[in-house]
């Protein structure tokens, strides 16, 4: 009953990239309940995280005052109880903390140059906050060493999409599946990671749509699939090339589409000749018969969508994996028409928007190259500032390496937790301990904040104003349902004040001013206004001022030379480290339904932590039996980077030589084990494949 609440506020779920619209019911200054409402991505639906995972915002661990590392603090490390500052930090006023932060940043710049400072922004913040963060580094320090978690997520997908179709965003919303007759879900586990999107996929199969699920794990969507293709980890390119080989050999490609809208087909076609199903079956572990069946189902569909996740992107050949998916769609004419397209499912609530807003080292907002003098000038004209570097900046893992090497001495980290999320997290933690100045802006004393010198208390999505953009390119307003606790502040206000204190002439007094500044150099926001967003969700591009936006793009050519998309052939590259006698199994990582990313929010949510309270990994029951391990026993997982002890679960869907480890648990952090080797194009680490030894603990 609405009388039970003091207020109801519409906003957007803070977790995954689906971007479900919610109504927050508030009583006595606290969010008491969350309901799904009628947003275009969720139509009233919510998953367990969106419905029950809100109480973290009132958790006693919330940071309510700025903190400064004590002069007599012990050496930096992961030894702070998040509810107890102990001897590490002391409370400070905003004046003292901001003064120290600004003087520290300016001091490093004066003594060592602007490149001694780098920044990680956040996909958990709004578009406006992401825009301001990249502007802070570029304008304040004159370089592009600013990045965020997209580097660990879909950077390789974006690299391949920009290269071959001219734009990094999805070509069709996931809701378009209502117009499809065939869909592929590959390297993605939407029932756990994009649960509301998964409801649309299930409805599609109920209507008779043919679903092909491809994954080294037998993920939950297999129950709805016409074909479940369980291939060897890391063998994506061999499998996808074999499927395309069949389409060529059997003449199932769309010659008219290829002729009209693409380039480089002959090279692709010649390249594919060697990848026969018989030749590739031994590499990818899929029978020639199944490869042929899948090729025929996909190519004979009238309108087919491809969805992919981190299983595709988080490899040293992640860009090649996406190139194959793009080629598959192009050769069958499955882009730019209802029910057809390419859709990398985004992991974080605003990773699409933060990337669009320029929180990446090679691109300014709207993926405009930092190397282009005219583009940089269009930004510095608006910013009323000097030019900055025309070199692509360093990515997340490259920045950490430069911190380790002592070349980067100061970092400003907003709402990201790289001490948990970076590959080879032990190395990242050692690097952060070396920094002269680490400013962390966050809502909790995260694992990363443990290494900070200054901690600035920030706000959750339910405490702020702004916009976010979901996996569907849908721009939506978020609104404050409650005030930040204590002295905590909205992130855009903190960045603005810090910018002023390092000498930048920023005068924003309302977040809508930031949005309007973004529009000056972001064509994707054409026809999207702050006024419209008060009542509408708008999908970009929006073609006129009453257009709700385009669910499908590239119906008549691509934003590339001559309007043509490109085929880029991909060769088979082995994973960076092969299993051997010492590390004989394969480890892969990911999320699970109840916990989100590094767990800083969901593990502080009573319901979610009650449902899934303990660090766990999944192994095949036969593997457990051979090891003499019962489900529930502890096992030790070791790689060349380190080892963790974690509870083992039995899961028949895991291959016998694999172990799956969620990365949300600090007490058994999966990323202590992961391989930091990166894809040469997207610079994304190989989270999905590491050689591992599993022993009874
Ligand atoms: Fe939130 Fe994603 Fe769940 Fe929707 S599907 S409620 S956006 S976590």
């Amino acid at each position: 009953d609405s009388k039970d609440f003091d207020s109801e506020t519409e906003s957007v779920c803070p977790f995954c990239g689906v971007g479900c619209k919610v109504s927050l019911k508030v009583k006595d200054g606290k969010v008491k309940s969350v309901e799904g409402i009628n947003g275009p991505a969720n139509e009233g639906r919510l998953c367990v995280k969106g419905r029950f995972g809100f109480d973290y915002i009132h958790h006693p661990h919330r940071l309510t005052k700025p903190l400064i590392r004590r002069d007599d603090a012990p050496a930096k490390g992961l030894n702070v109880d998040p509810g107890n500052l102990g001897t590490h930090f002391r409370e400070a006023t905003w004046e003292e903390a901001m003064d120290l932060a600004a003087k520290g940043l300016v001091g490093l710049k004066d003594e060592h140059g602007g490149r001694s400072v780098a920044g990680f922004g956040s996909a958990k913040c709004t578009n406006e906050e992401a825009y301001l963060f990249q502007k802070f580094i570029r304008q304040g320090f004159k370089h592009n060493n600013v990045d965020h978690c997209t580097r660990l997520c879909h950077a390789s997908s974006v690299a391949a999409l920009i290269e071959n179709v001219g734009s990094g965003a999805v070509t069709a919303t996931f809701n378009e599946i209502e117009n499809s007759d065939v869909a592929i879900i590959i390297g993605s586990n939407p029932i756990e990671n994009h649960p509301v999107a998964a409801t649309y996929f299930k409805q599609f199969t109920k209507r008779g749509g043919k679903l092909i699920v491809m994954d080294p794990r037998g993920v939950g969507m297999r129950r709805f699939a016409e074909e479940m293709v369980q291939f060897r980890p890391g063998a994506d390119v061999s499998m996808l090339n074999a499927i395309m080989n069949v389409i060529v050999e059997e003449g199932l490609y769309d010659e008219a589409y290829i002729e009209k809208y693409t380039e480089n087909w002959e090279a692709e076609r010649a390249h594919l000749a060697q990848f026969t199903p018989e030749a590739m079956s031994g590499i990818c572990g899929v029978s020639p018969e199944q490869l042929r069946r899948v090729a025929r189902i996909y190519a004979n569909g009238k309108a087919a969508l491809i969805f992919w996740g981190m299983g595709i992107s988080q490899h040293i050949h992640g860009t090649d994996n996406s190139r194959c998916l793009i080629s598959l769609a192009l050769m069958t004419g499955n882009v730019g028409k209802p029910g057809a397209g390419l859709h990398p499912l985004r992991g974080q609530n605003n990773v699409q928007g933060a990337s669009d807003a320029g929180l990446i080292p090679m691109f300014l907002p709207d993926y405009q190259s930092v190397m282009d003098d005219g583009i940089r000038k269009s930004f510095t004209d608006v910013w009323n500032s000097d030019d900055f570097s025309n070199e692509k900046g360093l990515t997340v893992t490259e920045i950490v390496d430069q911190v380790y090497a002592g070349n980067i001495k100061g970092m400003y980290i907003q709402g990201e937790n790289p001490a948990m999320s970076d590959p080879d997290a032990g190395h990242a933690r050692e690097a952060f301990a070396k920094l002269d100045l680490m400013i962390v802006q966050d809502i909790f004393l995260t694992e990363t904040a443990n290494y900070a010198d200054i901690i600035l208390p920030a706000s959750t999505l339910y405490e702020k104003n702004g916009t976010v953009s979901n996996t569907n390119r849908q721009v939506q307003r978020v609104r404050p349902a409650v005030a930040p606790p204590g002295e905590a502040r909205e992130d855009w206000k903190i960045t603005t004040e810090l910018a002023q204190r390092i000498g930048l002439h920023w005068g924003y007094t309302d977040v809508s001013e930031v949005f309007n500044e973004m529009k000056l150099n972001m064509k994707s926001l054409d026809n999207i206004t702050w006024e419209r967003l008060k009542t509408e969700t708008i999908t970009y591009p929006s073609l006129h001022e009453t257009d709700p936006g385009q669910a499908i793009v590239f119906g008549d050519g691509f934003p590339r030379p001559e309007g043509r998309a490109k085929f880029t052939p991909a060769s088979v590259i082995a994973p960076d480290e092969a299993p051997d006698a010492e590390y004989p199994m394969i480890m892969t990582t990911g999320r699970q339904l109840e916990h989100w990313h590094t767990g800083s929010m969901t593990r502080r949510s009573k319901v979610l932590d009650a449902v899934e309270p303990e660090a766990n990994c999944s192994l095949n029951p036969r593997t457990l039996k051979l090891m003499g391990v019962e489900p529930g026993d502890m096992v030790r997982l070791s790689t060349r980077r380190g080892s963790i002890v974690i509870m083992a679960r039995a899961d028949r869907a895991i291959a016998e030589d694999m172990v799956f480890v969620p990365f949300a648990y600090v007490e058994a952090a999966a990323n202590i084990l992961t391989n930091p080797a990166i894809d040469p194009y997207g610079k994304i680490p190989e989270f999905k494949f590491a050689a591992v030894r599993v022993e009874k603990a």
Side-chain angles (χ1 to χ4, degrees):
D1 189 326
S2 63
K3 289 195 294 294
D4 294 340
F5 305 107
D6 300 332
S7 64
E8 294 183 30
T9 304
E10 288 189 11
S11 194
V12 179
C13 173
F15 296 114
C16 88
V18 172
C20 294
K21 268 189 100 168
V22 294
S23 172
L24 303 155
K25 321 283 184 193
V26 175
K27 178 89 179 161
D28 300 329
K30 292 201 167 179
V31 177
K32 295 291 182 192
S33 132
V34 175
E35 260 179 31
I37 55 173
N38 201 17
N42 65 318
E43 298 175 286
R45 305 166 203 181
L46 289 182
C47 78
V48 66
K49 285 192 287 293
R51 174 69 182 84
F52 297 109
F54 59 86
D55 50 335
Y56 71 90
I57 69 176
H58 303 303
H59 195 281
H61 288 173
R62 278 295 298 273
L63 297 172
T64 57
K65 286 193 169 178
L67 302 176
I68 291 176
R69 181 169 291 278
R70 294 171 65 117
D71 292 338
D72 58 351
K76 289 182 180 180
L78 256 195
N79 28 15
V80 180
D81 169 356
N84 176 6
L85 305 182
T87 53
H88 295 255
F89 298 99
R90 64 174 171 83
E91 290 183 344
T93 62
W94 272 103
E95 177 59 33
E96 184 189 8
M98 292 298 255
D99 186 57
L100 199 63
K103 283 190 176 139
L105 291 170
V106 171
L108 285 174
K109 185 177 158 188
D110 290 347
E111 192 178 342
H112 303 286
R115 286 175 189 276
S116 62
V117 172
F120 290 164
S122 178
K124 298 186 201 74
C125 289
T126 64
N127 291 330
E128 294 72 26
E129 289 166 341
Y131 173 85
L132 288 184
F133 195 90
Q134 58 86 33
K135 178 177 172 178
F136 181 89
I137 296 293
R138 289 183 162 123
Q139 189 184 18
F141 299 89
K142 306 293 179 211
H143 60 71
N144 298 294
N145 296 342
V146 59
D147 206 355
H148 79 295
C149 70
T150 189
R151 194 65 41 213
L152 312 177
C153 166
H154 264 306
S156 51
S157 312
V158 171
L161 286 164
I162 288 178
E163 172 189 54
N164 297 296
V165 301
S167 162
V170 300
T171 73
T173 63
F174 65 72
N175 311 76
E176 265 304 304
I177 200 166
E178 71 180 34
N179 297 313
S180 311
D181 59 346
V182 173
I184 289 177
I185 298 174
I186 179 165
S188 170
N189 184 10
I191 285 184
E192 300 207 43
N193 295 334
H194 302 87
V196 168
T199 64
Y200 291 87
F201 305 159
K202 294 173 190 172
Q203 292 295 318
F204 156 80
T205 62
K206 188 178 169 193
R207 285 193 305 273
K210 291 181 177 168
L211 179 66
I212 300 161
V213 175
M214 307 169 97
D215 204 287
R217 292 168 70 202
V219 291
M221 283 304 296
R222 74 185 185 282
R223 297 196 301 273
F224 301 82
E226 177 106 354
E227 293 281 346
M228 171 70 215
V229 186
Q230 201 161 351
F231 60 98
R232 290 219 177 98
D236 318 60
V237 169
S238 60
M239 176 182 67
L240 294 167
N241 276 352
I243 289 168
M244 289 192 281
N245 171 286
V246 174
I247 292 172
V248 172
E249 287 304 309
E250 300 190 2
L252 302 175
Y253 51 93
D254 185 338
E255 206 157 357
Y257 184 90
I258 292 169
E259 172 70 24
K260 189 170 180 191
Y261 290 120
T262 71
E263 63 181 48
N264 213 30
W265 167 241
E266 284 311 320
E268 175 78 32
R269 183 188 169 124
H271 177 76
L272 291 173
Q274 59 188 301
F275 295 92
T276 62
E278 282 69 23
M280 291 303 105
S281 178
I283 299 175
C284 64
V286 183
S287 71
E289 295 72 31
Q290 189 172 35
L291 290 167
R292 288 200 164 84
R293 284 201 307 273
V294 167
R296 289 168 192 152
I297 293 170
Y298 178 76
N300 288 326
K302 291 188 187 67
L305 263 162
I306 302 177
F307 298 98
W308 70 96
M310 311 291 96
I312 281 290
S313 62
Q314 291 175 337
H315 288 281
I316 58 162
H317 53 269
T319 305
D320 280 332
N321 289 349
S322 289
R323 286 170 174 154
C324 290
L325 296 175
I326 294 165
S327 294
L328 185 56
L330 291 175
M331 69 162 55
T332 50
N334 271 312
V335 181
K337 63 183 182 185
L342 294 158
H343 192 121
L345 282 156
R346 307 288 164 154
Q348 293 220 16
N349 154 290
N350 198 35
V351 71
Q352 180 67 58
S355 303
D356 297 343
L359 201 51
I360 31 185
M362 51 293 277
F363 295 120
L364 282 149
D366 260 1
Y367 308 93
Q368 301 178 78
S369 174
V370 297
M371 296 161 75
D372 185 307
D373 295 346
I375 288 170
R376 283 198 319 287
K377 184 166 183 326
S378 65
F379 281 90
T380 52
D381 282 353
V382 169
W383 298 348
N384 194 20
S385 71
D386 304 335
D387 198 6
F388 54 92
S389 173
N390 63 358
E391 283 172 36
K392 291 179 182 176
L394 300 173
T395 58
V396 165
T397 50
E398 292 169 335
I399 287 172
V400 171
D401 285 344
Q402 289 304 309
V403 171
Y404 193 87
N407 298 323
I408 292 175
K409 298 174 187 303
M411 284 205 71
Y412 176 22
I413 300 179
Q414 175 196 54
E416 299 253 301
N417 194 6
M420 282 289 287
S421 61
D422 264 28
D424 192 4
H427 168 78
R429 293 172 189 178
E430 275 182 50
F432 294 139
K434 293 181 177 200
L435 282 166
D436 292 344
L437 175 67
M438 186 171 180
I439 304 164
V440 171
Q441 180 173 315
D442 215 312
I443 59 172
F444 294 117
L445 188 59
T446 60
E447 291 74 20
T448 301
N450 277 206
Y451 294 85
D453 298 287
I454 302 163
I455 303 174
L456 305 173
S459 49
T460 69
L461 205 65
Y462 288 158
E463 295 159 353
K464 63 174 63 164
N465 240 318
T467 64
V468 289
S469 305
N470 69 2
T471 190
N472 277 343
R473 298 182 263 106
Q474 287 159 336
V475 186
Q476 316 196 77
R477 273 290 301 280
V478 295
R479 297 178 176 82
V482 290
E487 296 176 21
R489 295 181 180 172
E490 286 183 64
D491 291 79
W492 70 270
K493 290 183 179 168
I494 302 172
T495 307
T496 296
E497 186 181 333
L498 199 53
Q500 290 166 343
R501 284 176 181 259
I502 66 166
L504 305 180
H505 300 289
W506 291 16
Y508 310 108
T509 55
D510 189 275
V511 75
S512 62
E513 295 160 12
V514 185
F515 178 81
N516 288 332
E517 180 178 313
M518 292 166 69
K519 280 173 62 66
L520 297 175
N521 273 312
M522 290 182 72
K523 287 195 88 50
S524 63
L525 296 179
D526 282 358
N527 300 308
I528 302 179
T529 62
W530 193 257
E531 195 55 35
R532 285 186 72 189
L533 289 167
K534 282 183 182 163
T535 52
E536 289 178 68
T537 292
I538 307 168
T539 308
Y540 73 78
S542 165
L543 302 184
H544 52 78
E545 57 194 26
T546 55
D547 177 18
Q550 301 295 304
I552 308 152
V553 290
F554 312 148
D556 195 20
F558 294 85
R560 291 195 73 256
E562 295 180 34
R564 289 175 181 274
K566 184 176 154 200
F567 289 99
T568 298
S571 299
V572 175
I573 298 168
D576 180 68
E577 61 179 19
D580 57 14
E582 201 177 353
Y583 302 102
M585 291 178 63
I586 299 165
M587 184 187 84
T588 191
T589 64
R591 302 195 311 223
Q592 22 174 200
L593 174 65
E594 299 80 4
H595 288 301
W596 192 68
H597 289 250
T598 65
S600 57
M601 292 147 72
T602 52
R603 295 201 78 196
R604 291 181 173 93
S605 165
K606 261 192 203 135
V607 172
L608 300 178
D609 203 50
V611 179
E612 190 57 284
E614 193 176 353
N616 60 85
C617 67
S618 301
L619 289 143
N620 189 286
R622 273 190 248 174
T623 313
L624 290 176
K625 199 167 176 199
L626 277 175
M627 289 169 44
V629 171
E630 293 291 324
D633 286 354
M634 303 303 277
V635 290
R636 178 180 298 280
L637 310 181
S638 308
T639 69
R640 291 182 174 85
R641 271 76 50 194
S643 77
I644 61 173
V645 174
I646 189 166
M647 186 252 286
R649 278 192 184 144
D651 183 348
R652 280 189 183 77
I654 307 280
E656 288 177 39
D657 60 349
M658 278 184 79
V659 54
F660 169 77
V661 194
F663 67 99
Y665 301 93
V666 61
E667 63 274 32
N671 282 320
I672 292 288
L673 307 176
T674 48
N675 186 352
I678 56 175
D679 170 282
Y681 307 97
K683 306 278 180 85
I684 192 167
E686 190 151 69
F687 288 115
K688 287 290 184 277
F689 196 110
V692 66
R693 183 172 64 245
V694 184
E695 303 156 292
K696 190 170 182 174

